Coordinates of all heavy atoms in Angstrom, one line a residue:
G1 N -38.6 -60.4 -84.3 CA -39.7 -60.0 -83.6 C -40.0 -60.7 -82.3 O -39.5 -60.4 -81.3
D2 N -40.9 -61.7 -82.4 CA -41.3 -62.4 -81.1 C -40.8 -63.8 -81.0 O -41.5 -64.6 -80.4 CB -42.9 -62.4 -81.1 CG -43.5 -63.0 -82.4 OD1 -42.7 -63.5 -83.2 OD2 -44.7 -63.0 -82.5
R3 N -39.7 -64.1 -81.6 CA -39.2 -65.5 -81.5 C -37.8 -65.4 -80.8 O -36.9 -64.6 -81.1 CB -39.0 -66.0 -82.9 CG -38.7 -67.5 -83.0 CD -38.9 -68.1 -84.3 NE -40.1 -67.8 -84.9 CZ -41.2 -68.5 -84.8 NH1 -41.2 -69.6 -84.0 NH2 -42.4 -68.2 -85.4
F4 N -37.7 -66.4 -79.9 CA -36.4 -66.5 -79.1 C -35.9 -67.9 -79.2 O -36.7 -68.8 -79.4 CB -36.7 -66.2 -77.6 CG -37.3 -64.9 -77.3 CD1 -38.6 -64.6 -77.3 CD2 -36.4 -63.8 -77.1 CE1 -39.2 -63.4 -77.0 CE2 -37.0 -62.6 -76.8 CZ -38.3 -62.3 -76.8
Y5 N -34.6 -68.1 -79.2 CA -34.0 -69.4 -79.2 C -33.0 -69.4 -78.1 O -32.3 -68.5 -77.7 CB -33.2 -69.6 -80.5 CG -34.1 -69.9 -81.7 CD1 -34.6 -69.0 -82.5 CD2 -34.5 -71.3 -81.9 CE1 -35.4 -69.3 -83.5 CE2 -35.3 -71.6 -82.9 CZ -35.7 -70.6 -83.7 OH -36.6 -70.9 -84.8
I6 N -32.9 -70.7 -77.4 CA -32.0 -70.9 -76.3 C -31.2 -72.1 -76.7 O -31.7 -73.2 -77.0 CB -32.9 -71.2 -75.1 CG1 -33.8 -70.1 -74.8 CG2 -31.9 -71.4 -73.9 CD1 -34.9 -70.5 -73.9
L7 N -29.9 -71.9 -76.6 CA -28.9 -73.0 -76.9 C -28.5 -73.5 -75.5 O -28.0 -72.8 -74.7 CB -27.7 -72.5 -77.6 CG -26.6 -73.5 -77.8 CD1 -27.0 -74.7 -78.6 CD2 -25.4 -72.8 -78.5
V8 N -28.9 -74.7 -75.2 CA -28.5 -75.4 -74.0 C -27.4 -76.4 -74.2 O -27.7 -77.5 -74.7 CB -29.8 -76.1 -73.3 CG1 -29.5 -76.7 -72.0 CG2 -31.0 -75.1 -73.3
E9 N -26.2 -76.0 -73.8 CA -25.1 -76.9 -74.0 C -24.8 -77.7 -72.7 O -25.2 -77.5 -71.7 CB -23.9 -76.1 -74.4 CG -24.1 -75.3 -75.7 CD -22.9 -74.6 -76.1 OE1 -21.9 -75.1 -76.7 OE2 -22.8 -73.3 -75.8
N10 N -23.8 -78.7 -72.9 CA -23.3 -79.5 -71.8 C -24.5 -80.2 -71.0 O -24.5 -80.1 -69.8 CB -22.5 -78.6 -70.9 CG -21.3 -78.0 -71.7 OD1 -20.6 -78.7 -72.4 ND2 -21.2 -76.8 -71.5
L11 N -25.4 -80.8 -71.7 CA -26.4 -81.5 -71.0 C -25.9 -82.8 -70.4 O -25.3 -83.5 -71.0 CB -27.5 -81.8 -72.0 CG -28.3 -80.7 -72.6 CD1 -29.2 -81.1 -73.8 CD2 -29.2 -80.0 -71.5
A12 N -26.3 -83.0 -69.2 CA -25.8 -84.2 -68.4 C -26.4 -85.4 -69.0 O -25.8 -86.5 -69.0 CB -26.1 -84.1 -66.9
S13 N -27.7 -85.3 -69.5 CA -28.3 -86.5 -70.1 C -29.4 -85.9 -71.1 O -29.7 -84.7 -71.0 CB -29.0 -87.4 -69.0 OG -30.2 -86.7 -68.5
E14 N -29.9 -86.9 -71.8 CA -30.9 -86.5 -72.8 C -32.2 -85.9 -72.2 O -32.9 -85.1 -72.7 CB -31.2 -87.6 -73.8 CG -30.1 -88.0 -74.7 CD -30.4 -89.1 -75.6 OE1 -31.6 -89.5 -75.8 OE2 -29.5 -89.6 -76.3
K15 N -32.5 -86.4 -71.0 CA -33.8 -86.0 -70.4 C -33.7 -84.6 -69.8 O -34.7 -83.9 -69.5 CB -34.2 -87.0 -69.3 CG -33.2 -86.9 -68.1 CD -33.7 -88.0 -67.0 CE -32.7 -87.9 -65.9 NZ -33.1 -88.9 -64.9
Y16 N -32.5 -84.0 -69.7 CA -32.4 -82.7 -69.0 C -33.0 -81.6 -69.9 O -33.6 -80.6 -69.4 CB -30.9 -82.4 -68.8 CG -30.7 -81.1 -68.1 CD1 -31.1 -81.0 -66.7 CD2 -30.2 -80.0 -68.6 CE1 -31.0 -79.8 -66.0 CE2 -30.0 -78.8 -67.9 CZ -30.5 -78.8 -66.6 OH -30.3 -77.6 -65.9
L17 N -33.0 -81.7 -71.2 CA -33.5 -80.7 -72.1 C -35.1 -80.5 -71.9 O -35.6 -79.4 -71.8 CB -33.3 -81.0 -73.5 CG -33.8 -79.9 -74.6 CD1 -33.0 -78.6 -74.4 CD2 -33.5 -80.4 -76.0
S18 N -35.8 -81.6 -71.7 CA -37.2 -81.5 -71.4 C -37.4 -80.9 -70.0 O -38.4 -80.1 -69.9 CB -37.9 -82.9 -71.5 OG -37.4 -83.7 -70.5
I19 N -36.6 -81.1 -69.1 CA -36.7 -80.5 -67.8 C -36.5 -79.0 -67.9 O -37.3 -78.2 -67.3 CB -35.7 -81.1 -66.7 CG1 -36.0 -82.6 -66.5 CG2 -35.6 -80.3 -65.4 CD1 -34.9 -83.3 -65.8
V20 N -35.5 -78.5 -68.6 CA -35.2 -77.1 -68.8 C -36.4 -76.5 -69.5 O -36.9 -75.4 -69.2 CB -33.9 -76.9 -69.6 CG1 -33.7 -75.4 -70.0 CG2 -32.7 -77.4 -68.8
T21 N -36.9 -77.1 -70.6 CA -38.0 -76.6 -71.4 C -39.2 -76.4 -70.5 O -39.9 -75.3 -70.5 CB -38.3 -77.5 -72.5 OG1 -37.2 -77.7 -73.3 CG2 -39.5 -76.9 -73.4
E22 N -39.5 -77.4 -69.7 CA -40.7 -77.3 -68.8 C -40.5 -76.2 -67.7 O -41.5 -75.5 -67.4 CB -40.9 -78.7 -68.0 CG -42.1 -78.7 -67.2 CD -42.3 -80.1 -66.5 OE1 -42.1 -81.1 -67.2 OE2 -42.6 -80.1 -65.3
R23 N -39.3 -76.0 -67.2 CA -39.0 -75.0 -66.2 C -39.3 -73.6 -66.8 O -39.9 -72.8 -66.2 CB -37.6 -75.1 -65.7 CG -37.3 -74.1 -64.5 CD -36.0 -74.2 -64.0 NE -35.0 -73.8 -65.1 CZ -33.9 -74.3 -65.3 NH1 -33.4 -75.4 -64.7 NH2 -33.0 -73.9 -66.2
I24 N -38.8 -73.4 -68.1 CA -39.0 -72.1 -68.8 C -40.5 -71.9 -69.0 O -41.0 -70.8 -68.8 CB -38.2 -72.0 -70.1 CG1 -36.7 -72.1 -69.7 CG2 -38.5 -70.8 -70.8 CD1 -35.8 -72.3 -70.9
Q25 N -41.2 -72.9 -69.5 CA -42.6 -72.8 -69.7 C -43.4 -72.4 -68.5 O -44.2 -71.5 -68.5 CB -43.2 -74.1 -70.4 CG -44.6 -74.0 -70.7 CD -44.9 -73.1 -71.9 OE1 -44.5 -73.4 -73.0 NE2 -45.6 -72.0 -71.7
Q26 N -43.0 -73.0 -67.4 CA -43.7 -72.7 -66.1 C -43.4 -71.3 -65.7 O -44.4 -70.6 -65.2 CB -43.2 -73.6 -65.0 CG -43.7 -75.0 -65.1 CD -43.1 -76.0 -64.1 OE1 -42.1 -75.7 -63.4 NE2 -43.6 -77.3 -64.1
E27 N -42.2 -70.7 -65.9 CA -41.9 -69.4 -65.5 C -42.7 -68.5 -66.4 O -43.3 -67.4 -66.0 CB -40.4 -69.1 -65.6 CG -40.0 -67.7 -65.4 CD -40.2 -67.2 -64.0 OE1 -40.3 -68.1 -63.1 OE2 -40.3 -66.0 -63.8
L28 N -42.8 -68.7 -67.7 CA -43.5 -67.9 -68.7 C -45.0 -67.9 -68.4 O -45.7 -66.9 -68.5 CB -43.2 -68.3 -70.1 CG -41.8 -68.0 -70.6 CD1 -41.6 -68.6 -71.9 CD2 -41.5 -66.5 -70.6
D29 N -45.5 -69.0 -68.0 CA -47.0 -69.2 -67.6 C -47.3 -68.4 -66.3 O -48.3 -67.8 -66.1 CB -47.4 -70.6 -67.4 CG -47.4 -71.4 -68.8 OD1 -47.4 -70.6 -69.8 OD2 -47.5 -72.6 -68.8
R30 N -46.2 -68.5 -65.3 CA -46.4 -67.9 -64.0 C -46.4 -66.4 -64.1 O -47.1 -65.7 -63.4 CB -45.4 -68.4 -63.1 CG -45.6 -68.1 -61.6 CD -44.6 -68.8 -60.6 NE -43.3 -69.2 -61.1 CZ -43.0 -70.5 -61.3 NH1 -43.9 -71.4 -61.0 NH2 -41.8 -70.8 -61.7
H31 N -45.6 -65.8 -65.0 CA -45.4 -64.4 -65.1 C -45.5 -64.0 -66.5 O -44.6 -63.5 -67.2 CB -44.1 -64.0 -64.5 CG -43.8 -64.3 -63.2 ND1 -44.4 -63.7 -62.1 CD2 -43.0 -65.3 -62.6 CE1 -44.0 -64.3 -61.0 NE2 -43.2 -65.2 -61.2
P32 N -46.7 -64.2 -67.1 CA -46.9 -63.8 -68.5 C -46.8 -62.3 -68.8 O -47.3 -61.5 -67.9 CB -48.3 -64.4 -68.8 CG -49.0 -64.3 -67.6 CD -48.0 -64.5 -66.5
A33 N -46.2 -61.9 -69.9 CA -46.2 -60.6 -70.3 C -47.7 -60.3 -70.8 O -48.4 -61.2 -71.4 CB -45.3 -60.3 -71.4
E34 N -48.2 -59.1 -70.6 CA -49.5 -58.8 -71.0 C -49.8 -58.9 -72.4 O -49.0 -58.4 -73.3 CB -49.8 -57.3 -70.6 CG -51.3 -56.9 -70.8 CD -51.6 -55.5 -70.4 OE1 -50.8 -55.0 -69.5 OE2 -52.6 -54.9 -70.9
G35 N -50.8 -59.8 -72.7 CA -51.2 -59.9 -74.1 C -50.3 -60.9 -74.9 O -50.4 -60.9 -76.2
I36 N -49.4 -61.6 -74.3 CA -48.5 -62.6 -75.0 C -48.7 -64.0 -74.4 O -48.7 -64.2 -73.2 CB -47.0 -62.1 -74.8 CG1 -46.9 -60.8 -75.5 CG2 -46.1 -63.1 -75.3 CD1 -45.4 -60.3 -75.5
H37 N -48.8 -64.9 -75.4 CA -48.8 -66.3 -75.0 C -47.6 -67.0 -75.6 O -47.3 -66.8 -76.8 CB -50.1 -66.9 -75.6 CG -50.2 -68.4 -75.5 ND1 -50.3 -69.0 -74.2 CD2 -49.9 -69.4 -76.3 CE1 -50.3 -70.4 -74.4 NE2 -50.0 -70.6 -75.7

């Protein structure tokens, strides 16, 4: 249904995953689908 997973491979460092997560969250917040959080 409403669950997505993203496999992020070949990370240059451990901190990169949080950067990617934050970038995706910002995009979803900037362009939210109607009625979805």
